[in-house]
Amino acid sequence: MLRRSWRFAIFCAVLALIFALHLPTQCLSDPIYPRIHSLRGESSFDHIMSLYRVWESIYGLHADSLLPPANVSLPPNVPPAPHLEECVARTAFRQAAEQRGANGESPEWARPPHCCGCNPQPPWVRGADDDSLAMTRVAQRDLWEHQFLVDGDCAGRRLLVVHWPWQVYHGVGSQLHIMSAFLSIAMQHNRTLVAVPGSFGRAQEPGCNATGKYNEWECFFFPFVAESCQQVVRRAMESKAVECVGQNVGEVAASAETVVCFASMPYMELDMEASAAWRWGAPHLGQPDTVWDPPHTESHKNKMQVRWWRAQAVRFMLRWPSAYLCHVINRVRHSSYGHRIAARLALLNSTLAEMLWEKVGDTAGKAAPSNIKMSSQLAAATLPFTQGSFKHADGLFPWVYGACSGDECGEEGEKWMGYLRELYERVGGEPYVIRPIVSLHVRQSDKVEEMQLMPLSSYIFYLNRLRLAAPDLTHVWLNTESQAVIDGIAKYKEWIFIYSKNSRQDGSNKDMRHYDDTQSVAVSFASVLISAESDYFIGTLGSNWSRLMNELRSTTGRLFCPFIAMNDGEW
């Protein structure tokens, strides 16, 4: 009898093992690589990490690499990394997409054929028209046209020159929202907004110095004004032909001078900021409110005018990352969840009996790409994702395919659609992100002086509530400046938290500016841009950083992805 029970126990164990090994990949619990380690042995775990390190080497993601490689050349047997971008090539394509024609005409994406009934297609706006705030594509085209004039026009153009707000008093989010007010004022007075050269004090990282953009906004993002206008301002500042004054910004902008400079900030210029929306026929009216504020359950309709404008201004200023910031984003993505991507790719169509990777030479993680080759099974597999996760099978982005077919335009429509297809292929889609995923922004520490802080448990409560509507939700992209929050998530085993690896506040409530030497501004920008790609959002609108996430998601095809606000704020 005892012998039979042992046989039955062994039979059940073997059956359980076979069942576990044939589960679909998505059924394997994260983090994936410890699971691989336990199921497939240490050598398979090494093979997964070898792919991770090969990608790290090819894309130049080592800690001492400040700038992206000039080109990314993948060996034939190494699959592309779907979560990474070729930064130099992408940046060149995006710059080319913003070039005017030989006679100063607007780029073709700004001039849709009249017969198609399509809006302009600025390539930095994702999703269908209805998936972003009303008139987003038209507003983005108009902002670009306003700030990027035909070459030579800046010589006689009315300019509003401003200093970036002092970082002593303002975080990056606050600085951006103040600049959005300046942009509104500039447009109302028919002026082009130009920042004082060298006044963005956040750009003091070694990478900014290496790119020649020290103290310049362009260290992190594409310029928001034409180079010819910047040159006019540089010459005026060097010759002291213009003096920056700190009086009322509206009076300064309304003066008859061609170039005027404002040195201070527009405290609570909300009326002037909000009025910019009327330029597009008050698109905020009738706009659905997709922010849920559980502590107050109040409507945000009275703030939609300001929010609409800020979202447009922020999206325009942050439309494309620089090659340097793109490189930092790659590093953040890879260090945060690159090993999971490598594991999922390696597990595709695999079985225990087959080794996915054959190593030749050094296996310590420093082997050259040519020393690692892919198994025939993996090479023949069809990957479930591509470099742009929004792409159609035919390479055309679905919002273009569905919204602007161009069928009524005949040959002209076919040419327009062919142009858009090539444009979106070149500028790139969003790199692959583990989905579904929720963006969670927990603001703590020094913010206690400005708003009521919520404990981590309150955020987890709404995470769990969100899971009732999305049972497959397990991944969280965590944005926080507090090390205490990072330490506190360990007890919430039911969630998989992914976050950037950088220095954080230690609980002393020191202002964030005291951490600028240890916390890269580029990593912070990378985190907020990755957050904007999420499927769900939880944040604190009393924080400018959460507002940035809300503004970015509402202008890039995620307006109806719910945003749960733990608190609210006016400024």
Side-chain angles (χ1 to χ4, degrees), residues 285-428:
L285 296 179
Q287 186 72 52
D289 185 8
T290 58
V291 175
W292 184 51
D293 187 4
H296 305 99
T297 61
E298 65 180 37
S299 173
H300 301 88
K301 295 290 185 182
N302 59 326
K303 304 169 187 174
M304 283 303 297
Q305 193 171 2
V306 173
R307 288 187 175 179
W308 184 91
W309 166 250
R310 284 184 175 177
Q312 302 303 330
V314 165
R315 166 54 59 193
F316 173 67
M317 295 182 70
L318 276 63
R319 64 193 185 280
W320 297 126
S322 66
Y324 165 63
L325 181 58
C326 173
H327 185 57
V328 175
I329 295 172
N330 273 353
R331 184 181 297 147
V332 171
R333 290 185 192 275
H334 198 58
S335 63
S336 300
Y337 59 86
H339 57 284
R340 292 183 172 87
I341 304 298
R344 292 187 176 194
L345 184 57
L347 277 172
L348 190 64
N349 295 330
S350 65
T351 65
L352 177 62
E354 294 173 312
M355 297 302 294
L356 296 179
W357 297 91
E358 301 172 14
K359 288 181 291 183
V360 181
D362 181 20
T363 60
K366 298 182 180 179
S370 59
N371 288 343
I372 299 179
K373 60 181 181 179
M374 189 166 32
S375 72
S376 57
Q377 182 186 11
L378 185 58
T382 302
L383 302 186
F385 41 72
T386 58
Q387 181 71 18
S389 58
F390 280 101
K391 286 184 181 179
H392 253 284
D394 64 353
L396 186 62
F397 285 64
W399 60 85
V400 178
Y401 185 80
C404 297
S405 65
D407 292 339
E408 302 89 357
C409 292
E411 184 177 345
E412 187 180 8
E414 290 180 8
K415 181 180 178 182
W416 165 251
M417 296 308 297
Y419 163 77
L420 289 182
R421 181 182 290 108
E422 181 180 0
L423 173 66
Y424 285 116
E425 289 285 359
R426 286 177 172 270
V427 301

Side-chain angles (χ1 to χ4, degrees), residues 218-286:
E218 289 77 16
C219 173
F220 302 117
F221 293 95
F222 273 34
F224 57 83
V225 68
E227 175 62 26
S228 57
C229 294
Q230 293 178 324
Q231 291 176 357
V232 168
V233 171
R234 287 192 189 96
R235 290 193 294 266
M237 300 293 283
E238 290 170 1
S239 63
K240 302 187 185 304
V242 60
E243 180 182 0
C244 295
V245 295
Q247 61 201 60
N248 182 280
V249 64
E251 295 178 2
V252 173
S255 68
E257 299 292 331
T258 303
V259 181
V260 295
C261 182
F262 185 69
S264 186
M265 65 159 285
Y267 282 105
M268 298 299 180
E269 294 279 358
L270 292 180
D271 291 339
M272 298 190 72
E273 185 177 8
S275 60
W278 293 99
R279 185 185 183 100
W280 289 273
H284 59 284
L285 296 179

Side-chain angles (χ1 to χ4, degrees), residues 6 11 21 31 78 121 166 170 191 201 221 231 240 261 267 280 309 350 358 455 466 469 487:
W6 273 106
F11 174 75
L21 293 177
V78 175
Q121 296 290 323
W166 291 355
H170 302 281
R191 292 183 178 273
F221 293 95
Q231 291 176 357
K240 302 187 185 304
C261 182
Y267 282 105
W280 289 273
W309 166 250
S350 65
E358 301 172 14
L466 197 55
D487 297 337

Side-chain angles (χ1 to χ4, degrees), residues 177 541-551 569-571:
H177 289 136
L541 292 183
S543 164
N544 280 288
W545 208 241
S546 271
R547 290 177 203 154
L548 284 181
M549 297 176 195
N550 183 36
E551 290 151 4
E570 289 293 336
W571 173 238

